[in-house]
Amino acid sequence: GALCDDAMTLGERLRHALILPYRQHCASLALSASLGIACAPLHGREPEALLRAANLATLEAKASGRDALRAFDPALLERAERRDRLREAFVEALRAGELELHVQPQFDRRTGKLDGGEALIRWNSKRLARWVPPPEILAAAGEAGLLPELDLWVLRTAAALQKSWLGVPGAPPRLGINISSVTLHDPRFAGQLRAVLEEHALPPEALEIEIPEDLAVRDLPGVARTMGAIHEIGVPLALDDFGAGHSNLTHVVNLPVQRLKLDRCNVSLLPDDPKAYAILRTTMAMARSMGIEVIAEGVETEAQAEALERLGCHVIQGWLMARAMPPAELLRQFAPGPAQVAAG
Ligand code: C2E
Ligand code: CA
Ligand code: CA
């Protein structure tokens, strides 16, 4: 009501006072301020309830970008409770072994053969009684501070899987894994990777590590060390979601990557969109001149696959061929029958 309107006006004035550029000697510092507002008795009568409401409003203000002002809203509390439940369920699931790693196959159109796969996390939560989509899983892991644990679980599970597939005819020779930004900044990761490979006596080329292009470009100094260490171990690096952001092709020159994964935003515009063609043609030319392989993801139609072939991109991944599936299912569908038994 009126009381909260006053608080909002005051908050707005406060925000403007705070964001005036701060100057000392020659350096000028631009500040930003996010404010959350809760009013009694509208948003709570007890101090704790009021503080929690103000805190949630502030988090919301921060999440909506810099320089925002937000009043509390009961929907925020519902969302926070939902997040709490998700986070608790995730912690339990990670411990209880409820997470699964599915694999989406990648094909080389020239040979018609399976060329590799991408490991993708899947979680059918008993407690929540639903499949939780990966972005929600990652958010829950992030809030619980468990992203490094999750990434390590993915790495271990993928390595064990590749070990069990070594020498199995038709099995994907290379399995790509996704690693979160936190882990890419973690100086322990390269050591863990080396240890996991040794533990399974796995050649480094059995895995591939996917790094989102925007992360690599935005924060090169932050991830360069880990990327260099991974490269030294011999595990191939792929730049994921390439072309999704405002990519600068020249950055790639400085990165030790073996593959580009064309993001599906451009792939989905094929075969008709001239701009997507132009972007992909340039990307292909650059990759070729640098000796970098290219794979397209999110290929959903034969027309897209053909357009990609004309562009010189022969390795593809997408629902046109297959979705991510349990590893055993993948072998059943794509590896010749009796061999799987023989491999044990
Ligand atoms: P991503 O790395 O770009 O993974 C590709 C996503 O595209 C997957 O979604 C996949 O199921 C989906 N996809 C594959 N083919 C097609 C297609 O033809 N059409 C369309 N529309 N979509 C297709 P998913 O599995 O939901 O994963 C979403 C994101 O979550 C991934 O994007 C990745 O960033 C993250 N993620 C998934 N698994 C893991 C994991 O194990 N660890 C980490 N750190 N991140 C993961
Ligand atoms: Ca990926
Ligand atoms: Ca991707």
Side-chain angles (χ1 to χ4, degrees):
L3 196 73
C4 212
D5 290 345
D6 287 350
M8 289 294 277
T9 312
L10 188 61
E12 194 57 38
R13 275 173 54 201
L14 193 57
R15 205 174 58 78
H16 273 107
L18 284 171
I19 62 179
L20 287 175
Y22 170 83
R23 219 178 281 277
Q24 187 174 35
H25 306 303
C26 295
S28 156
L29 198 62
L31 296 178
S32 74
S34 302
L35 271 73
I37 289 183
C39 299
L42 189 61
H43 300 142
R45 290 171 193 275
E46 304 300 320
E48 276 141 56
L50 212 53
L51 269 177
R52 170 139 209 238
N55 198 20
L56 286 173
T58 310
L59 287 175
E60 184 67 14
K62 282 188 186 151
S64 65
R66 307 163 77 213
D67 298 329
L69 176 69
R70 284 281 179 283
F72 175 75
D73 166 347
L76 294 182
L77 194 60
E78 267 165 54
R79 243 188 285 164
E81 279 163 2
R82 195 182 133 93
R83 273 201 311 268
D84 289 349
R85 281 197 300 275
L86 181 68
R87 192 189 60 237
E88 285 160 17
F90 172 79
V91 173
E92 186 185 277
L94 186 62
R95 275 199 222 106
E98 206 178 63
L99 301 173
E100 298 168 49
L101 207 53
H102 286 196
V103 179
Q104 185 176 31
Q106 303 167 341
F107 295 89
D108 189 329
R109 299 262 293 185
R110 288 164 299 195
T111 60
K113 286 217 181 96
L114 206 72
D115 181 62
E118 175 174 9
L120 293 161
I121 191 150
R122 294 293 180 262
W123 176 26
N124 188 3
S125 168
K126 280 206 200 88
R127 195 194 307 192
L128 304 172
R130 63 179 174 104
W131 288 90
V132 183
E136 266 186 71
I137 304 177
L138 296 170
E143 279 189 32
L146 290 174
L147 278 171
E149 269 79 356
L150 174 65
D151 287 335
L152 192 56
W153 177 84
V154 169
L155 169 62
R156 290 206 171 112
T157 309
L161 184 59
Q162 277 302 62
K163 174 73 182 179
S164 75
W165 279 351
L166 271 185
V168 176
R174 168 179 52 194
L175 191 57
I177 60 176
N178 296 282
I179 292 299
S180 57
S181 165
V182 185
T183 300
L184 284 171
H185 286 87
D186 188 343
R188 292 172 304 178
F189 179 69
Q192 292 168 340
L193 177 63
R194 199 187 289 274
V196 167
L197 289 172
E198 273 169 19
E199 187 189 324
H200 294 282
L202 210 59
E205 318 83 59
L207 296 178
E208 176 175 59
I209 291 179
E210 301 191 358
I211 295 180
E213 182 222 18
D214 77 312
L215 171 68
V217 169
R218 224 180 336 109
D219 185 20
L220 186 54
V223 296
R225 227 177 90 190
T226 306
M227 285 182 80
I230 295 170
H231 183 66
E232 217 165 275
I233 293 170
V235 175
L237 282 158
L239 273 192
D240 201 1
D241 307 329
F242 192 88
H246 312 274
S247 51
N248 187 340
L249 296 180
T250 55
H251 280 102
V252 180
V253 182
N254 302 315
L255 299 171
V257 296
Q258 280 73 56
R259 281 228 276 195
L260 302 182
K261 290 195 84 175
L262 303 178
D263 188 76
R264 71 167 169 277
C265 66
N266 282 313
V267 171
S268 68
L269 294 173
L270 296 175
D272 297 322
D273 189 282
K275 242 197 235 156
Y277 257 107
I279 291 170
L280 292 174
R281 206 177 295 118
T282 311
T283 307
M284 293 305 300
M286 175 207 63
R288 198 173 301 122
S289 71
M290 291 174 53
I292 295 175
E293 290 167 43
V294 178
I295 175 171
E297 70 178 343
V299 181
E300 294 182 350
T301 68
E302 184 59 32
Q304 289 166 358
E306 280 164 14
L308 285 162
E309 274 195 307
R310 283 197 296 278
L311 284 160
C313 176
H314 303 283
V315 182
I316 56 178
Q317 171 186 346
W319 295 349
L320 172 65
M321 288 79 58
R323 299 199 177 210
M325 60 185 84
E329 174 70 23
L330 183 131
L331 222 55
R332 200 152 46 235
Q333 281 194 28
F334 299 103
Q340 0 174 342
V341 183

